[in-house]
Amino acid sequence: MSAPPPHRHIRRARETLGEAETVVVLTGAGVSADSGVPTFRGQGGLWREHRPEDLATPAAFARDPRLVWEWYGWRRELVSACAPNAAHLALARWQEGPRPIHIVTQNVDGLHRLARDRIRDGAGGSTTGEILELHGSLFRTRCTCCAAVEDSRAPIDATSEASLPHCGACGALLRPDVVWFGEPLDAHVLDRAFRLAARAEVCLVVGTSAIVQPAAAVATEAARAGAALVEVNPEVTPLLRVAQLSLRGRAAEIVPLLV
Ligand code: OAD
């Protein structure tokens, strides 16, 4: 683990973020690591212990929906026991301010939304900042036949195919509303993310290996369009080349100092 970033770097990042009229924040699994949600590629990462082709492809679901649902049911339970950390909460508080701060996340854990709900605490919010979930949500289902999408937090009973969740409207099998390998992202959500990135004065990137496309291109597109890129990650990523500032450290420690 590298030493904490010097104070002058934190100050510079604060100034850069503080002066921007429009900000896009791109987050990945690392922003939720301090909440106890496993990342994908780091130590103890999900793709170190499981093969994506067995669990996160349309072919895997067609072959063995029970196995795939069992895994997503386990992830739902795991994430349900986790709370937003100081980074999620700081970003949510920042979004309640007067300037539009948009969060584009690759995470399916719903913790940015939960943080926003916690900050508002039923008071009703006035933010213009959006939260775009590029890879979907663990807590939504999509019908494999009529494509109806619904919120869903109930535990998954994967003991048999009949016990798996089925569509209330047409009776067909439901699937998790997440993006699997080989599938396109929701075109509307992706288009919106790139539009926001192209207009942003600053792009803050937190906790992503920045190697999965097209998500990583949200950051590089923002930089190409002229945004200053500020990165928070304990490890070096490919964004080092385009980032104005790379702050080495954990999201929950660094992000609250910035926003
Ligand atoms: P990765 O697991 O690839 O990368 C996690 C990043 O978080 C790494 O760069 C770590 O160094 C960093 N990190 C770890 N702990 C951190 C902490 N406490 N604070 C800040 N950063 C930390 O996860 P993603 O980049 O999000 O896609 O992966 C992108 C996509 O690949 C995921 O959305 C998922 C996966 O396949 C789908 O499932 C479609």
Side-chain angles (χ1 to χ4, degrees), residues 128-143:
T128 50
E130 301 178 27
I131 297 176
L132 298 175
E133 294 171 323
L134 290 179
H135 292 164
S137 168
L138 283 177
F139 300 106
R140 283 197 311 260
T141 54
R142 178 156 29 105
C143 180

Side-chain angles (χ1 to χ4, degrees), residues 3-159:
H7 288 304
R8 68 175 191 286
H9 288 182
I10 299 279
R11 204 173 50 237
R12 253 186 73 202
R14 263 187 88 91
E15 282 165 11
T16 306
L17 292 165
E19 285 162 7
E21 276 304 314
T22 51
V23 180
V24 162
V25 185
L26 174 68
T27 68
V31 77
S32 298
D34 292 321
S35 295
V37 182
T39 63
F40 290 93
R41 296 174 181 81
Q43 216 184 7
L46 295 173
W47 297 152
R48 295 263 185 120
E49 305 187 352
H50 306 277
R51 285 162 23 111
E53 52 273 44
D54 291 340
L55 298 167
T57 63
F61 190 69
R63 197 167 51 238
D64 194 347
R66 214 190 52 74
L67 176 72
V68 172
W69 259 123
E70 192 168 47
W71 192 62
Y72 279 93
W74 168 75
R75 285 180 66 194
R76 273 193 193 203
E77 273 180 40
L78 189 155
V79 169
S80 296
C82 297
N85 64 53
H88 297 109
L89 294 169
L91 292 172
R93 241 175 253 120
W94 200 29
Q95 277 200 308
E96 294 300 306
R99 293 171 301 154
I101 313 290
H102 304 291
I103 298 177
V104 177
T105 187
Q106 296 164 84
N107 298 344
V108 293
D109 56 30
L111 290 178
H112 285 300
R113 287 188 191 282
L114 201 54
R116 175 185 278 193
D117 294 346
R118 294 254 165 107
I119 293 297
R120 289 181 177 173
D121 198 18
S126 58
T127 177
T128 50
E130 301 178 27
I131 297 176
L132 298 175
E133 294 171 323
L134 290 179
H135 292 164
S137 168
L138 283 177
F139 300 106
R140 283 197 311 260
T141 54
R142 178 156 29 105
C143 180
T144 53
C145 184
C146 72
V149 171
E150 278 187 17
D151 289 341
S152 152
R153 290 204 161 253
I156 301 299
D157 178 356
T159 45

Side-chain angles (χ1 to χ4, degrees), residues 28-30 33-34 39-42 47 106-107 135 179 181 207-210 212 232-235 237 249-251:
D34 292 321
T39 63
F40 290 93
R41 296 174 181 81
W47 297 152
Q106 296 164 84
N107 298 344
H135 292 164
V179 176
F181 285 88
T208 176
S209 55
V212 172
V232 178
N233 198 311
E235 309 287 337
T237 78
R250 305 181 72 86

Side-chain angles (χ1 to χ4, degrees), residues 133-214:
E133 294 171 323
L134 290 179
H135 292 164
S137 168
L138 283 177
F139 300 106
R140 283 197 311 260
T141 54
R142 178 156 29 105
C143 180
T144 53
C145 184
C146 72
V149 171
E150 278 187 17
D151 289 341
S152 152
R153 290 204 161 253
I156 301 299
D157 178 356
T159 45
S160 72
E161 228 170 277
S163 70
L164 294 178
H166 284 75
C167 181
C170 76
L173 187 61
L174 297 177
R175 56 165 282 178
D177 188 28
V178 297
V179 176
W180 283 329
F181 285 88
E183 292 186 316
L185 277 62
D186 181 302
H188 174 74
V189 174
L190 190 62
D191 182 59
R192 183 78 189 133
F194 278 108
R195 277 172 198 267
L196 294 173
R199 276 195 242 137
E201 285 175 28
V202 175
C203 179
L204 173 64
V205 185
V206 185
T208 176
S209 55
I211 56 171
V212 172
Q213 296 295 357

